[in-house]
């Protein structure tokens, strides 16, 4: 009844299915509560109508933004309102008044980007700034790096429009005594609320002034000091940090502060993190705009995970560091401030080591060390997982060093390991601790530690929470911090706003215990499923792999990077890496998802995963959704027929070899009007896509009849992948010519082989393993001889670097092969042959393949192009959207593909000057560019051949025969190969599909 009435009442989306409920069962915390249902409101009126319907049923309500809360305040048995998809606009931005009026689902960086146009910013900026919402920040009273400059969120909120559970909609802010009196006299529900708030203030004023710690980062408890006369009876600020337990925020007016246009980063190295903390007070005297601390444990975790290597080596000598950011109106001013600080520190007997970074790109890489800390310390190879639970305590900055020493002693007593880092300029400490949250003894120990840690921080005059809020993690401990009388005041405050207790119940007031509703707990016992992938980094356990996702939500960013392209296109939690990981976790839990490997909710979420592998490269905990998707699909389709595209595109290697016997016949069927449409339908291809043609001669045939090879001790094996063999032989030909000009002896495998990359997209793992075994057998002598193998298609290189080891983790030849495969650019940089390249002047735009960016970040492309002398642009283009066959498939796949391409890449290509070289090594990227812009991209090998031949750099290079080949992308041409036998491709594929042992 509740669901149906909601559907009738609102224009937004009402989702009470088990998949949606599972998606929202947890946040970034240790807690899990399956909601009643989920509502995605389109308008503020939808929000009001939803609350009204829920009130009729007595159903609790929980407002939610990005879902990145770490204390459990964003999960509850309630109707969840997700504001992030639609209610995310800037309603007004007034640079003169330095104010912005926003909807609660607005992402922080969207506001900051708009404000920067006026040299303004919203001061608080947590590490999740790329994807957290302002509504969530208001709920938690978030802070961040620059709160040392601008204060917490409550300091930057001027007005709120709020909705109470009983239906009152009102605007609140600072209130003079005269206005307060007028409101009270006016009566009604609003007058009643203000009268009771005034009475509450007057009754508890002495305790508020006495018990609330006067430190920069007190976030715990309701914000009662905002109601004091000296603070302007600021009702809006009193609601900041209330975690959705009192009202639903509909709109906010926030303060903007000047954004220093120039910033300089000074990194200070100390013997340990405790000494670093001791020196924060003297650093604060120089008015930094950011002051962060990190320890050696965090840095070592980054090293062990291979994260941000380019950043870690920039750190000065030490085992504890302070990152000091100083601002100014000009670069000279900010740098002068930094140098003044350095001069003072240099004269001290215990002065730190120092490194100054005024290059914004270097500073940005160093900030990544700090911003990735949560994820980087959650799952470290060889160590147990680390969890929140005591991750944001705060003290006065002057007491920070002593507090950290005592906190470490307490952890040692409990035999816990952790990293210590955080907002040292505000005295706030972040950490994740390796709690045992599964066994009864481990949970008792966890609880005892948290209680002792609470007593410790209170002895230092601090706060249980300095940023993340109380939620369920700390709310039970509030009596220790504030005493029973103020906790009673909290109950009274909630009752004023929410007399029925239906707003996010069990959080802050009358809370759940900190050791109940655990996401794991003593009932956690997922089945040990047999998988194709051996998951060596997760002890062979899919369940452990799903625990990698800690909910930080970096996959929900939309403005930069590659992860997660489908989320960027749809803004749906289900299509984020986090959402998919959570559904896999819930699949193993078995409640509310009960379908196991055949669960349709999991299948639906994975359907729009482009398998770009960006999550493995960009997610701070390296969630590997491409692998999990392939594994799931292999079991989902076991004994079943797959969709048509699986046979048309997944079996590309087979169809291409068949087509090579009669390419003109295949091309006739694929290019002739009418026949080509039938071929598209047979293959499940989007009608909007065009079918390219097969090459008339394969690369292998060209290689077999060419002249003598170079005789050189520098021997390499060129990998003639299916794509460059059958569709773009000119790329492989160019690679041979370039390598030989640089002194290599080039050979190829004796017989056709395929790494099977397309098979993974459809879960055809039996066949994929078979093809990899063929490669290991055929190339065994070359592998053991250590012969370098050059891969031209990045996705093929990725198979050898990733899937091969994941499927054959105990095979030494597989490990050797993974270390012997190089991209062309990698090989040239490794061997130091760049000096032999002649110059090639001109402009270029380079788009990196997703797998290339995720798995081969140091691919050498930039060094090669700069050595040529090209003026190169590297747009932050993310995923092109084609993603192998994904963008060729009809329906939603095609739509998402185009949306991904239009985000950055295609506009950048259209904007590039006509004489700009477009460079992309991925075939699917080539076709997305060609079909989306009408322009042609070149492979790096073709660009290098231009240089070696002394030719002028020119875009749209033609093959040597002078005829443009249309075979840029092999994936689409599989429809043609399948059409050879009058559309027999799908029929043949269907027959193959019945042979479960093979596929």
């Amino acid at each position: 009844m509740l669901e149906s009435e909601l559907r009738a009442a609102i224009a937004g989306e009402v989702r009470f299915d088990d998949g949606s409920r599972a998606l929202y069962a947890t946040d970034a915390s240790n807690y899990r509560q399956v909601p009643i249902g989920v509502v995605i409101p389109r308008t503020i009126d939808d929000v009001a109508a939803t609350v009204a319907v829920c009130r009729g049923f007595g159903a609790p309500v929980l407002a939610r933004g990005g879902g990145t809360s770490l204390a459990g305040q964003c999960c509850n048995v309630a109707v969840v309102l997700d504001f992030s998809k639609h209610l995310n606009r800037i309603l007004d931005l007034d640079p003169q008044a330095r104010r912005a009026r926003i909807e609660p689902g607005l992402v922080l960086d969207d506001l900051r980007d708009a404000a920067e146009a006026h040299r303004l910013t919203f001061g608080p900026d947590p590490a999740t700034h790329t994807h957290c919402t302002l509504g969530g920040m208001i709920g938690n009273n978030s802070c961040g790096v620059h709160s040392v400059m601008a204060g917490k969120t409550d300091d930057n909120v001027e007005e709120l429009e709020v909705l109470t559970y009983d239906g009152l909609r009102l605007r609140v802010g600072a209130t003079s005594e005269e206005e307060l009196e007028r409101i009270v006299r006016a009566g009604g529900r609003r007058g009643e609320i203000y009268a009771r708030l005034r009475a509450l203030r007057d009754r508890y004023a002495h305790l508020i002034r006495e018990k609330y710690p006067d430190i920069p980062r007190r976030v715990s408890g309701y914000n009662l000091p905002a109601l004091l006369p000296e603070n302007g009876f600021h009702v809006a600020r009193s609601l900041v940090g209330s975690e959705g337990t009192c009202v639903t925020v509909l709109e906010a007016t926030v303060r903007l502060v000047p954004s220093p246009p120039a910033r300089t980063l000074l990194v200070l190295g100390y013997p340990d993190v405790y000494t670093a903390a001791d020196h924060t007070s003297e650093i604060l005297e120089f008015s930094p705009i950011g002051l962060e601390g990190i320890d050696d444990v965090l840095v070592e975790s980054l090293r062990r995970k291979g994260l941000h290597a380019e950043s870690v080596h920039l750190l000065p000598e030490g085992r504890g560091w302070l990152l000091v950011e100083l601002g100014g109106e000009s670069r000279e001013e900010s740098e002068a401030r930094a140098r003044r600080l350095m001069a003072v520190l240099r004269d001290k007997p215990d002065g730190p080591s120092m490194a100054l970074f005024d290059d914004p790109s270097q500073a940005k890489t160093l900030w990544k060390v700090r911003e990735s800390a949560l994820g980087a310390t959650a799952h470290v190879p060889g160590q147990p997982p680390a969890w929140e639970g005591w991750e944001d305590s705060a003290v006065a900055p002057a007491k920070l060093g002593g507090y950290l020493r005592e906190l470490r002693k307490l952890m040692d007593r409990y035999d816990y390991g952790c990293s210590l880092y955080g907002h040292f300029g505000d005295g706030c400490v972040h950490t994740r601790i390796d709690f045992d949250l599964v066994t009864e003894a481990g949970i008792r120990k966890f609880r005892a530690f948290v209680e002792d840690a609470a007593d410790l921080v209170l002895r230092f005059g601090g706060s249980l929470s300095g940023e993340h809020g109380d939620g369920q993690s700390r709310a039970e401990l509030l009596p220790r911090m504030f005493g029973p009388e103020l906790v009673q005041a909290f109950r009274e405050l909630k009752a004023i706003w929410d007399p029925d207790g239906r707003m996010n119940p069990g959080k802050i007031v009358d809370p759940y215990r900190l050791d109940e509703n655990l996401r794991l707990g003593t009932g956690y016992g997922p089945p040990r499923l047999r998988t194709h992938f051996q998951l060596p980094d997760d002890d062979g356990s899919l369940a452990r792999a799903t625990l990698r996702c800690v909910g930080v939500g970096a996959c929900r960013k939309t403005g930069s990077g590659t992860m997660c392209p489908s989320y960027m296109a749809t803004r749906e939690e289900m299509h984020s890496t986090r959402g998919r990981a959570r559904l896999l976790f819930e699949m193993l839990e078995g409640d509310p998802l009960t379908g196991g490997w055949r669960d349709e909710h999991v299948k639906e979420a994975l359907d729009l995963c482009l398998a770009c592998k960006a999550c493995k490269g960009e997610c701070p905990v390296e969630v590997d959704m491409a692998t999990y998707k392939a594994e799931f699909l292999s079991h989902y389709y076991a004994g079943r027929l797959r969709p048509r595209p699986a046979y048309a595109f997944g079996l590309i290697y087979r169809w291409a070899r068949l087509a090579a016997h009669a390419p003109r016949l295949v091309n006739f069927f694929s290019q002739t009007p009418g026949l080509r449409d039938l071929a598209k339908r047979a293959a499940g291809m989007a009608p909007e896509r065009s079918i390219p043609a097969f090459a008339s001669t394969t690369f292998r045939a060209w290689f077999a009849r060419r002249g003598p090879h170079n005789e050189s001790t520098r021997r390499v094996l060129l990998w003639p992948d299916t794509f460059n063999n059958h569709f773009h032989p000119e790329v492989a030909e160019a690679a041979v010519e370039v390598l030989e000009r640089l002194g290599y002896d080039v050979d190829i495998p004796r017989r056709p082989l395929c790494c099977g990359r397309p098979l993974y997209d459809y879960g055809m793992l039996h066949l994929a393993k078979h093809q990899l075994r063929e490669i290991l057998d055929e190339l065994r002598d070359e592998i053991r001889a250590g012969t370098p193998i050059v891969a031209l298609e990045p996705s093929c290189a990725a198979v050898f670097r990733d899937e091969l080891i994941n499927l054959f983790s105990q095979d030494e030849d597989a490990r050797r092969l993974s270390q012997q495969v190089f991209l062309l650019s990698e090989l040239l940089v490794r061997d130091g042959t760049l000096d032999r390249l002649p110059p090639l002047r001109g402009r270029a735009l380079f788009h990196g393949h997703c797998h290339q960016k995720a798995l081969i970040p140091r691919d050498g492309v930039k060094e090669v192009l700069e050595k040529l002398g090209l003026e190169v642009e590297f747009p932050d283009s993310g995923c092109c959207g084609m993603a192998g066959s994904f963008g060729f498939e009809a329906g939603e796949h095609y739509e998402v593909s185009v949306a991904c391409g239009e985000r950055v890449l295609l506009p950048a290509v259209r904007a590039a000057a006509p004489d700009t070289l477009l460079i992309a090594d991925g075939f699917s990227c080539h076709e997305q560019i060609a079909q989306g812009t009408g322009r042609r991209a070149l492979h790096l090998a073709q660009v290098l051949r231009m240089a070696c031949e002394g030719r002028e750099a020119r875009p749209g290079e033609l093959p040597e025969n002078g005829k443009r080949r249309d075979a840029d992308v092999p994936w689409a041409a599989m429809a043609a190969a399948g059409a050879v036998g009058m559309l027999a491709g799908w029929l043949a594929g269907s027959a193959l599909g019945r042979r479960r042992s093979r596929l």
Side-chain angles (χ1 to χ4, degrees), residues 18 29 156 224 229 241-242 411 438 647 679 747 755 821 833 856 884:
D18 289 341
S29 71
N156 294 276
L224 296 183
S242 58
M411 290 183 184
V438 176
Y647 303 111
D747 204 351
C755 70
V821 174
T833 55
I856 317 172

Side-chain angles (χ1 to χ4, degrees), residues 212-215 394-396 399 455-463 481:
Y212 275 74
D214 185 16
I215 59 175
V395 297
K399 298 181 179 180
D455 292 339
L456 172 64
V457 76
L458 296 178
R459 285 202 304 274
F460 276 81
S463 174
M481 178 173 173

Side-chain angles (χ1 to χ4, degrees), residues 422-440:
H423 309 293
F424 281 19
D426 280 335
C428 182
V429 183
H430 291 326
T431 185
R432 293 182 74 87
I433 303 173
D434 54 351
F435 299 123
D436 168 9
L437 299 178
V438 176
T439 68
E440 183 182 358

Side-chain angles (χ1 to χ4, degrees), residues 424-725:
F424 281 19
D426 280 335
C428 182
V429 183
H430 291 326
T431 185
R432 293 182 74 87
I433 303 173
D434 54 351
F435 299 123
D436 168 9
L437 299 178
V438 176
T439 68
E440 183 182 358
I443 294 170
R444 282 202 311 271
K445 179 181 173 183
F446 155 68
R447 181 183 180 87
F449 168 82
V450 172
E451 290 176 341
D452 285 348
D455 292 339
L456 172 64
V457 76
L458 296 178
R459 285 202 304 274
F460 276 81
S463 174
L464 306 176
S465 171
E467 182 162 29
H468 301 153
D470 298 315
Q472 188 172 343
S473 291
R474 285 167 287 276
E476 185 187 355
L477 303 171
L478 289 176
R480 295 176 183 238
M481 178 173 173
F482 292 102
E485 291 178 281
L486 278 180
V487 169
Q488 176 59 29
F490 296 163
R491 291 193 185 95
E492 293 176 21
L493 180 77
K494 178 175 171 62
I496 291 170
W497 292 105
D498 177 31
D500 295 328
R502 299 287 82 193
M503 298 295 296
N504 201 14
K507 309 298 163 81
I508 300 183
V509 168
D510 299 322
Y512 297 106
R513 298 191 318 273
L514 63 89
D515 54 356
E516 66 178 319
N517 298 326
L518 291 172
R519 184 181 173 199
L520 301 181
T522 56
Y524 179 69
R528 182 85 179 192
L529 301 178
R530 185 174 181 180
T531 59
H532 297 280
F533 287 104
Q534 295 177 11
L535 305 172
D537 294 334
D538 292 297
D539 299 328
S541 167
L542 180 63
R544 184 178 172 93
T546 66
L547 286 179
R548 281 183 172 271
C549 180
V550 295
V552 67
C555 48
R556 286 173 56 96
K557 60 182 170 53
T558 59
S560 63
T562 303
M563 177 183 71
C564 175
S566 49
Y567 177 79
M568 290 181 181
T570 67
R571 303 295 181 98
E572 284 281 356
E573 175 72 15
M574 173 174 63
H575 297 139
S576 68
T577 303
R578 179 179 73 177
R580 293 174 179 129
R582 291 289 167 78
L583 286 180
L584 287 166
F585 171 88
E586 295 290 340
M587 177 189 83
L588 296 175
E589 283 290 285
D591 180 23
L593 300 186
T594 59
W597 287 124
R598 296 290 175 89
D599 196 282
E600 292 297 332
H601 301 289
V602 180
K603 169 64 167 54
E604 181 186 9
L606 292 172
D607 182 59
L608 291 187
C609 171
L610 284 77
C612 66
K613 294 183 180 285
C615 48
K616 187 162 187 177
E618 293 183 24
C619 173
V621 288
E622 299 172 292
V623 170
D624 185 4
M625 194 50 60
T627 292
Y628 310 155
K629 174 184 178 180
E631 186 69 52
F632 176 85
L633 291 179
S634 71
H635 299 279
Y636 179 86
Y637 284 118
R640 293 175 168 182
L641 283 177
R642 287 172 167 81
R644 286 172 290 164
Y647 303 111
F649 299 127
L651 301 178
I652 180 174
Y653 175 52
R654 297 185 176 195
W655 303 139
R657 294 182 68 190
L658 286 174
H661 296 292
R664 289 183 176 83
L665 176 61
V666 175
N667 291 339
F668 170 77
F669 281 103
S670 68
Q671 304 301 318
T672 303
L675 292 177
R676 68 185 177 202
D677 297 328
L678 290 174
K680 289 181 186 180
R681 283 199 290 272
M685 185 189 296
E688 297 88 347
R689 295 294 189 189
S690 61
I691 303 177
F694 282 89
S696 58
T697 302
T698 66
F699 164 71
R700 290 187 65 88
W702 174 86
F703 192 87
R705 63 172 182 254
R706 64 192 295 270
H709 301 186
N710 271 357
E711 291 187 5
S712 169
T713 56
R714 187 173 281 181
R715 184 170 180 273
V716 297
L717 206 65
L718 185 67
W719 182 256
D721 60 87
T722 301
F723 316 137
N724 287 313
N725 184 32

